[in-house]
């Protein structure tokens, strides 16, 4: 008993010491001080060198915390108790946060970099006039194929995936909105359709795809495709960029008949306190030099026109990630749907997963 | 005075129970009565029991949990029996338990490596001339990995039951002329049945709601209730429906507990 008590005391002492030192560390790096910026970002979604550069130029230290889904980020900000100054939600989540009054409007007076952005990526349906959000990266949904097993000509359109020759060959990203959206596009419908009959038809269409579906997986898709586990996958351009960088046999196609156009955007949550640092950072990230450096590091498409011009020709002319005007015109941005409609999408999708 | 002391000792236990067992369950039950607009409703339950999808999913979950438990039991009983007869059995037991110290996600990823197209399993199949097969994303591989993960939880209670078994019973059985097989079926197995039941509880119940493995190893070809709960909490944010499925799972667990629970023998436990 005596020994047990001494062990417990020792453990408590260690915990106390650790707690104290972490508190000291926090104070020195200053998550609560005035010369900081608390950035809430996806994992590995900013060039760390830029953060160092930002601190050197402006004196603000950036604390980065990460999330792995829009919903997780939403819940955390909504429940309060956080100190985030900037967050990077996807476009539908911007609309949702706006409606839940979780965002502060951007003070346009303090922003100096708007002229660098491509107007095609501004003023979108989820945030007219960019009152709350500044685009960070954009991308598409498309088909990744492995040229060892599949010819480019065989997969130019979504409908090609339904071909019987691709039996048990396709991996799908586990996302209700995207996979249902793919079926909707294939049937010539809008990716924002909410009519139950249309969605049921889309599910039927997906059920026909089931024999070709090898697996419905999430992030692991990258690993599988890099290891040649499957010849075909449906995934986002951002994920595709990473796969292509690791396996020269992989290619990415955005079907010209249409696909999703997604945006990740910088927004200011209600919890923000370091106003000066926020605008310093937004302006810093709008500078072509910095945006280009970030785009090179992340490999996603930048909405910053001036930054794109600074990228190597091989990158900015790459039709895989900067599709031509004709394809761009057919891309659709997801609208924020009401919870009931989201449920409808997910129910149909779950039924498809049960089916296959 | 002493009575008061005993009561004091109960406080930490009581607090623990209230905070980490009763409160979460109560919250889940409470949540399950609310719809998306936070209005009180029984709709979640009627939706669940009227939906062919959910009922099919429930059947699926129970069926796979049953298969996993069955295979785990078939492997674990002989293993525990064999281990129990070994000389350094505590060491062997430790080796069996060791994998449970490793995070389940890591083990799943290890199996992805083994089962993939160019993985160890397929290299072996190519070596013996069968040629590479699709192993990942099959129901068989899902059951295999789930069984592998659950085995220690089944072996442990059976091993303990064997440990508790008084060797005098076995000696008596042999002295009275029973064969080895008869001793096993008439004496050893019935007396270690509580261990098996404890093992079934420890395996069947978690197996009902596996969701990570269904995606990582099963490629979402196996859909269990866990998948649906994850979706309701993370994607659609319909916590009411998610909680409803949670409540159904809790009820299923209570049923399993009752079915496998110890019926108190009238004359006390034979030792």
């Amino acid at each position: 008993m005596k020994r047990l008590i001494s062990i417990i005391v020792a453990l408590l002492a260690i915990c106390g010491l650790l707690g104290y030192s972490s508190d000291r560390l926090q104070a020195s790096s200053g998550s609560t001080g005035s010369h900081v910026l608390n950035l809430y970002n996806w994992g590995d979604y900013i060039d760390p060198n830029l953060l160092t550069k930002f601190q050197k130029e402006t004196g603000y230290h950036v604390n980065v915390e990460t999330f792995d889904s829009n919903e997780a980020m939403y819940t955390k900000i909504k429940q309060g108790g956080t100190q985030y100054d900037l967050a990077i939600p996807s476009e539908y989540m911007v609309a949702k946060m706006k409606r839940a009054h979780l965002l502060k409007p951007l003070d346009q007076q303090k922003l100096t970099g708007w002229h660098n952005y491509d107007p095609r990526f501004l003023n979108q349906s989820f945030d007219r006039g960019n009152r709350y959000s500044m685009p960070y990266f954009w991308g598409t949904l498309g088909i990744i194929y492995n040229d060892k097993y599949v010819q480019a000509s065989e997969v130019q359109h979504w409908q090609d995936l339904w071909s019987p020759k691709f039996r048990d060959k396709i991996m799908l990203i586990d996302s209700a909105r995207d996979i249902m959206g793919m079926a909707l596009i294939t049937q010539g419908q809008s990716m924002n359709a909410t009519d139950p009959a249309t969605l049921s038809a889309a599910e039927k269409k997906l059920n026909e795809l089931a024999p070709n579906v090898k697996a419905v997986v999430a992030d692991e898709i990258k690993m599988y495709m890099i290891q040649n586990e499957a010849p075909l996958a449906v995934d986002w351009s951002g994920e595709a960029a990473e796969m292509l960088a690791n396996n020269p046999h992989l290619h990415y196609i955005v079907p010209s008949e249409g696909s999703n156009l997604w945006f990740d955007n910088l927004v200011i949550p209600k919890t923000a306190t370091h106003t000066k640092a926020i605008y310093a950072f937004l302006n810093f990230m709008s500078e072509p030099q910095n945006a280009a450096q970030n785009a090179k590091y992340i490999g996603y498409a930048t909405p910053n026109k001036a930054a794109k011009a600074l990228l190597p020709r091989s990158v900015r002319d790459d039709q895989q990630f900067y599709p031509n005007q004709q394809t761009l015109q057919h891309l659709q941005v997801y609208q924020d749907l009401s919870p009931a409609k989201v449920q409808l999408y997910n129910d149909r999708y779950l039924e498809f997963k049960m089916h296959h | 005075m002493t009575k008061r002391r005993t009561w004091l000792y109960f406080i930490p236990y009581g607090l623990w129970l209230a905070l980490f067992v009763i409160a979460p369950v109560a919250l889940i039950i409470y949540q399950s009565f609310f719809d998306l607009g936070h209005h009180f409703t029984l709709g979640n339950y009627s939706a669940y029991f009227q939906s062919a999808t959910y009922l099919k999913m429930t059947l699926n979950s129970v069926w796979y949990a049953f298969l996993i438990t069955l295979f785990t039991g078939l492997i674990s009983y002989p293993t525990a029996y064999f281990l129990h007869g070994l000389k350094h059995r505590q060491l062997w037991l430790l080796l069996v338990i060791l994998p449970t110290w490793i995070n389940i996600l890591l083990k799943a990823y290890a199996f992805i490596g083994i089962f993939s197209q160019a993985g160890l399993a397929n290299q072996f199949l190519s070596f013996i001339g069968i040629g590479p097969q699709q192993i990942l994303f099959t129901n068989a591989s899902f059951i295999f990995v789930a069984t592998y993960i659950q085995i220690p939880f089944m072996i442990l209670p059976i091993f303990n039951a064997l440990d508790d078994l008084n060797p005098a019973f076995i000696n008596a059985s042999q002295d009275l002329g029973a064969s080895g097989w008869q001793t096993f079926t008439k004496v050893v197995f019935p007396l270690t049945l509580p261990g098996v039941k404890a093992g079934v509880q420890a395996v069947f119940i978690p197996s009902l709601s596996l969701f990570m493995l269904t995606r990582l190893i099963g490629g979402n070809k196996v859909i269990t209730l866990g998948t649906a709960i994850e979706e309701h909490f993370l994607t659609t944010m319909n916590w009411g429906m998610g909680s409803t499925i949670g409540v159904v799972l809790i009820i299923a667990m209570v049923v399993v507990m009752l079915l496998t629970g110890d019926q108190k023998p009238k004359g006390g436990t034979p030792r």
Side-chain angles (χ1 to χ4, degrees):
Chain A
M1 195 62 188
K2 228 177 178 172
R3 238 178 93 191
L4 190 72
I5 289 176
S6 57
I7 289 174
I8 290 174
V9 169
L11 277 177
L12 283 176
I14 293 171
C15 288
L17 211 72
L18 284 173
Y20 176 74
S21 51
S22 102
D23 199 53
R24 295 298 309 165
L25 269 175
Q26 285 242 325
S28 64
S29 80
S31 76
T32 48
S34 60
H35 259 68
V36 295
L37 177 76
N38 297 318
L39 174 64
Y40 199 28
N41 196 358
W42 300 83
D44 197 21
Y45 202 29
I46 190 163
D47 182 352
N49 293 329
L50 278 176
L51 298 180
T52 324
K53 189 177 166 196
F54 177 66
Q55 184 168 10
K56 239 182 234 160
E57 276 184 19
T58 63
Y60 294 112
H61 177 81
V62 183
N63 295 314
V64 182
E65 265 192 61
T66 60
F67 56 86
D68 57 10
S69 80
N70 279 302
E71 283 72 18
M73 177 216 55
Y74 176 85
T75 310
K76 206 159 170 195
I77 288 181
K78 193 175 179 190
Q79 283 175 349
T82 55
Q83 298 222 332
Y84 305 122
D85 296 314
L86 283 169
I88 309 192
S90 305
E91 76 291 322
Y92 73 96
M93 191 48 78
V94 172
K96 189 176 167 127
M97 292 174 86
K98 201 166 69 176
R99 253 189 312 121
H101 303 290
L102 293 178
L103 298 182
K104 283 185 182 172
L106 299 173
D107 186 346
Q108 306 290 349
Q109 305 287 312
K110 293 183 182 150
L111 291 170
T112 55
W114 279 124
H115 60 275
N116 292 327
Y117 287 88
D118 188 333
R120 286 180 302 178
F121 302 122
L122 298 178
N123 193 26
Q124 294 288 335
S125 61
F126 59 91
D127 183 22
R128 286 284 171 218
N130 286 79
R131 288 188 52 226
Y132 293 88
S133 69
M134 178 179 257
Y136 184 63
F137 281 115
W138 64 275
T140 52
L141 179 77
I143 304 168
I144 297 114
Y145 68 91
N146 190 320
D147 64 18
K148 281 207 269 187
Y149 315 104
V150 179
Q151 300 299 316
S153 58
E154 290 176 290
V155 281
Q156 287 299 313
H157 301 285
W158 292 116
Q159 181 61 43
D160 296 337
L161 295 177
W162 270 260
S163 157
K165 69 184 168 199
F166 294 138
R167 206 183 160 81
D168 207 20
K169 297 240 185 306
I170 305 170
M171 284 197 185
L172 300 178
I173 184 75
D174 191 5
S175 159
R177 196 78 196 265
D178 290 295
I179 298 306
M180 289 290 289
M182 171 184 82
L184 286 167
I185 284 275
T186 312
Q187 295 180 307
Q189 301 283 354
S190 154
M191 286 182 119
N192 292 306
T194 54
D195 168 42
T198 311
L199 292 179
S200 291
E203 186 208 329
K204 235 184 173 164
K205 181 82 183 163
L206 281 180
N207 287 343
E208 288 164 21
L209 182 67
N212 288 0
V213 177
K214 189 188 184 90
V216 182
V217 277
D219 299 339
E220 311 87 65
I221 255 188
K222 271 185 290 197
M223 176 180 72
Y224 287 131
M225 290 306 287
I226 291 167
Q227 294 174 354
N228 301 323
E229 186 73 26
L232 287 163
V234 176
D235 207 343
W236 303 296
S237 58
E239 304 278 283
E242 215 174 315
M243 296 180 215
L244 267 55
N246 287 293
N247 185 341
H249 291 290
L250 297 179
H251 307 272
Y252 181 69
I253 282 181
V254 185
S256 56
E257 66 268 30
S259 179
N260 169 234
L261 172 65
W262 54 259
F263 290 92
D264 287 335
N265 314 272
L266 286 154
V267 298
I268 310 176
K270 265 266 144 37
T271 53
T273 47
H274 305 107
T275 315
K276 271 194 175 152
I278 291 169
Y279 287 98
F281 189 77
L282 290 175
N283 289 331
F284 176 83
M285 290 311 289
S286 308
E287 278 169 35
Q289 205 71 40
N290 299 332
Q293 185 181 337
N294 205 24
K296 258 188 252 172
Y297 178 85
I298 306 291
Y300 287 22
T302 176
N304 193 316
K305 198 166 59 176
K308 189 184 160 193
L310 295 176
L311 292 171
R313 179 168 288 278
S314 62
V315 175
R316 62 173 198 257
D317 287 348
D318 189 348
Q319 293 260 327
Q320 300 178 106
F321 299 105
Y322 291 99
N324 59 32
Q325 185 58 31
Q326 197 218 332
T327 306
L328 260 181
Q329 270 171 1
H330 289 124
L331 297 180
Q332 302 176 24
V333 180
Y334 290 139
Q335 284 158 18
D336 176 45
L337 301 177
S338 71
K341 301 293 182 200
V342 173
Q343 189 69 60
L344 207 58
Y345 265 83
N346 278 276
D347 285 349
R348 293 290 92 79
Y349 177 66
L350 196 63
E351 278 165 30
F352 152 66
K353 283 208 283 186
M354 297 277 296
H355 180 89
H356 97 281
Chain B
M1 188 65 196
T2 35
K3 210 172 180 188
R4 215 152 147 204
R5 272 266 184 85
T6 348
W7 188 79
L8 277 177
Y9 287 137
F10 181 72
I11 289 181
Y13 176 67
L15 271 179
W16 180 273
L17 265 187
L19 279 175
F20 299 117
V21 180
I22 297 170
V25 171
L27 271 177
I28 289 178
I29 294 174
Y30 174 80
Q31 283 272 7
S32 69
F33 289 111
F34 288 88
D35 66 9
L36 279 167
H38 299 288
H39 304 298
F40 181 85
T41 175
L42 288 171
N44 291 329
Y45 287 93
S46 68
Y48 182 95
F49 288 106
Q50 281 172 12
S51 153
T53 316
Y54 285 129
L55 293 178
K56 204 176 134 201
M57 207 184 310
T58 313
L59 274 181
N60 245 340
S61 303
V62 171
W63 171 241
Y64 280 103
F66 168 75
L67 285 180
I68 293 166
T69 313
L70 179 73
F71 289 124
T72 311
L74 285 178
I75 295 169
S76 298
Y77 199 96
T79 313
Y81 193 79
F82 174 72
L83 280 183
H84 189 255
L86 289 177
K87 205 171 168 196
H88 302 290
R89 55 192 188 193
Q90 290 302 336
L91 174 73
W92 291 109
L93 193 65
L94 185 75
L95 289 180
V96 169
I97 298 169
L98 207 70
T100 60
W101 299 355
I102 300 167
N103 186 294
I104 180 172
L105 203 61
L106 286 180
K107 287 188 273 192
Y109 269 86
F111 271 106
I112 290 176
I114 294 171
F115 286 164
S116 63
Q117 287 291 342
L120 222 59
N122 269 327
Q123 281 176 16
F124 177 73
L125 286 180
S126 309
F127 177 72
I128 59 172
I130 296 176
Q133 303 287 319
Q134 180 64 41
I135 307 178
L136 265 181
F137 315 131
T138 58
N139 295 350
S141 65
F142 166 68
I143 292 173
F144 184 94
V145 176
T147 303
Y148 160 80
I149 284 167
Q150 304 285 21
I151 278 176
F153 301 107
M154 183 72 102
I155 288 186
L156 212 59
I158 297 177
F159 184 89
N160 286 336
L162 284 166
D163 230 20
D164 284 346
L165 182 66
N166 191 338
F169 285 119
I170 299 169
N171 290 337
S173 161
Q174 283 164 350
D175 286 349
L176 293 170
S179 67
W181 178 246
Q182 279 174 323
T183 305
F184 178 76
T185 53
K186 304 269 187 210
V187 179
V188 178
F189 189 72
L191 286 179
T192 51
L193 203 59
V196 177
K197 283 178 173 176
V200 167
Q201 286 179 2
V203 171
F204 187 85
I205 292 171
S207 301
L208 272 178
S209 54
L210 286 171
F211 69 91
M212 214 152 45
L213 287 184
T214 54
R215 197 186 76 206
L216 286 174
I217 306 288
N220 270 326
K221 296 213 165 192
V222 181
I223 300 286
T224 62
L225 291 174
T227 317
I229 295 180
E230 187 200 16
E231 183 202 283
H232 282 304
F233 274 88
L234 294 183
T235 317
T236 60
M237 296 182 128
N238 187 350
W239 291 17
M241 196 66 213
S243 301
T244 302
I245 303 172
V247 170
V248 171
L249 268 178
I250 292 174
I251 293 171
M253 289 170 191
V254 171
V255 169
V256 173
M257 294 286 249
L258 288 178
L259 286 179
T260 57
D262 274 328
Q263 275 93 21
K264 278 265 158 66
K266 276 171 198 134
T269 29
R271 259 317 288 260

